[in-house]
Amino acid sequence: MNRLKLINRWSLMHNRQTEDVAQHSHQTAVLAHALGLIDKEVFQKKTCPDKCAAIALYHETAEVLTGDMPTPVKYRNAQMREAFFEAEKHAEQRLLDGLPEILKKGVAARVRPEKCREAELAAFADKLAAYIKCTEEFSAGNKEFAAALKTAEKQIASFNDETVNYFMQSFAPSFSMSLDELME
């Protein structure tokens, strides 16, 4: 997992600020935790914010071995997507096999979580992190992220999730603001 810091994201695009997979995983975990808190406190669901964060921390585990496949390549067609997901699954298993037996089950539960609200929120957080990256780049004048930002906005709207909607209404505007604007 330590090697995630060596893998850059958004490799097919000009970036004003580079981002590695470790940074992305951290941000996704913070966002997942926030979504979990919103789910639990605002909407009174039995969501565990800590579980959301832990799942998000491990969501890119395979990239230690596969690298970051750019989205336009990964989702180009069903064959590419299927082949890449198979490679990710193999990479995750290879990494899990390197753990002491006593730890495998606990880590596997975060690397490959069962379907649950926490895993769903972690997946939403991953998309929010992409949205935030696009917003920051575009707000800094990097027009190369304009199309990616529109795609991310559409994807987030398609979730039709009250917790995500609450996050977007309450916090999304801040990601295009300067520090001075945030402090006002």
Side-chain angles (χ1 to χ4, degrees), residues 1-68:
M1 297 299 292
N2 186 54
R3 298 183 71 78
L4 289 175
K5 65 187 174 198
L6 304 176
I7 303 162
N8 287 329
R9 292 176 45 84
W10 304 94
S11 61
L12 296 181
M13 299 176 76
H14 170 74
N15 288 262
R16 286 180 167 257
Q17 179 69 43
T18 59
E19 177 183 60
D20 63 50
V21 178
Q23 291 168 320
H24 166 71
S25 295
H26 173 267
Q27 181 181 39
T28 302
V30 170
L31 291 167
H33 191 264
L35 292 176
L37 282 173
I38 294 166
D39 220 42
K40 182 178 179 180
E41 303 298 336
V42 176
F43 297 108
Q44 303 298 302
K45 295 181 183 174
K46 295 183 180 184
T47 306
C48 176
D50 294 345
K51 184 176 178 182
C52 295
I55 291 169
L57 273 174
Y58 286 93
H59 85 283
E60 301 287 18
T61 298
E63 292 189 9
V64 170
L65 298 178
T66 65
D68 180 46

Side-chain angles (χ1 to χ4, degrees), residues 130-149:
Y131 162 79
I132 291 166
K133 169 65 173 171
C134 293
T135 298
E136 291 173 339
E137 287 284 340
F138 188 73
S139 294
N142 188 351
K143 305 248 189 272
E144 185 151 345
F145 278 79
L149 178 58

Side-chain angles (χ1 to χ4, degrees), residues 21-136:
V21 178
Q23 291 168 320
H24 166 71
S25 295
H26 173 267
Q27 181 181 39
T28 302
V30 170
L31 291 167
H33 191 264
L35 292 176
L37 282 173
I38 294 166
D39 220 42
K40 182 178 179 180
E41 303 298 336
V42 176
F43 297 108
Q44 303 298 302
K45 295 181 183 174
K46 295 183 180 184
T47 306
C48 176
D50 294 345
K51 184 176 178 182
C52 295
I55 291 169
L57 273 174
Y58 286 93
H59 85 283
E60 301 287 18
T61 298
E63 292 189 9
V64 170
L65 298 178
T66 65
D68 180 46
M69 178 69 71
T71 297
V73 176
K74 188 190 302 187
Y75 296 101
R76 178 130 178 108
N77 59 49
Q79 291 171 322
M80 282 289 281
R81 183 176 175 171
E82 188 176 314
F84 189 74
F85 286 141
E86 188 62 34
E88 282 184 329
K89 200 167 137 182
H90 177 74
E92 289 168 352
Q93 189 59 52
R94 186 160 181 211
L95 291 165
L96 288 168
D97 287 345
L99 292 173
E101 202 60 44
I102 197 165
L103 300 177
K104 279 184 191 179
K105 186 176 177 183
V107 175
R110 299 304 178 246
V111 173
R112 295 184 191 154
E114 78 274 358
K115 289 189 180 208
C116 60
R117 181 62 174 161
E118 290 84 358
E120 181 180 42
L121 291 175
F124 289 159
D126 184 36
K127 301 307 180 192
L128 286 172
Y131 162 79
I132 291 166
K133 169 65 173 171
C134 293
T135 298
E136 291 173 339

Side-chain angles (χ1 to χ4, degrees), residues 120-182:
E120 181 180 42
L121 291 175
F124 289 159
D126 184 36
K127 301 307 180 192
L128 286 172
Y131 162 79
I132 291 166
K133 169 65 173 171
C134 293
T135 298
E136 291 173 339
E137 287 284 340
F138 188 73
S139 294
N142 188 351
K143 305 248 189 272
E144 185 151 345
F145 278 79
L149 178 58
K150 285 181 184 174
T151 299
E153 289 170 337
K154 286 179 188 173
Q155 188 173 42
I156 290 167
S158 76
F159 296 154
N160 197 27
D161 183 272
E162 65 185 354
T163 297
V164 173
N165 293 341
Y166 182 96
F167 178 90
M168 292 299 289
Q169 291 168 358
S170 301
F171 303 107
S174 67
F175 294 105
S176 61
M177 298 170 84
S178 69
L179 182 59
D180 290 337
E181 292 169 323
L182 286 170

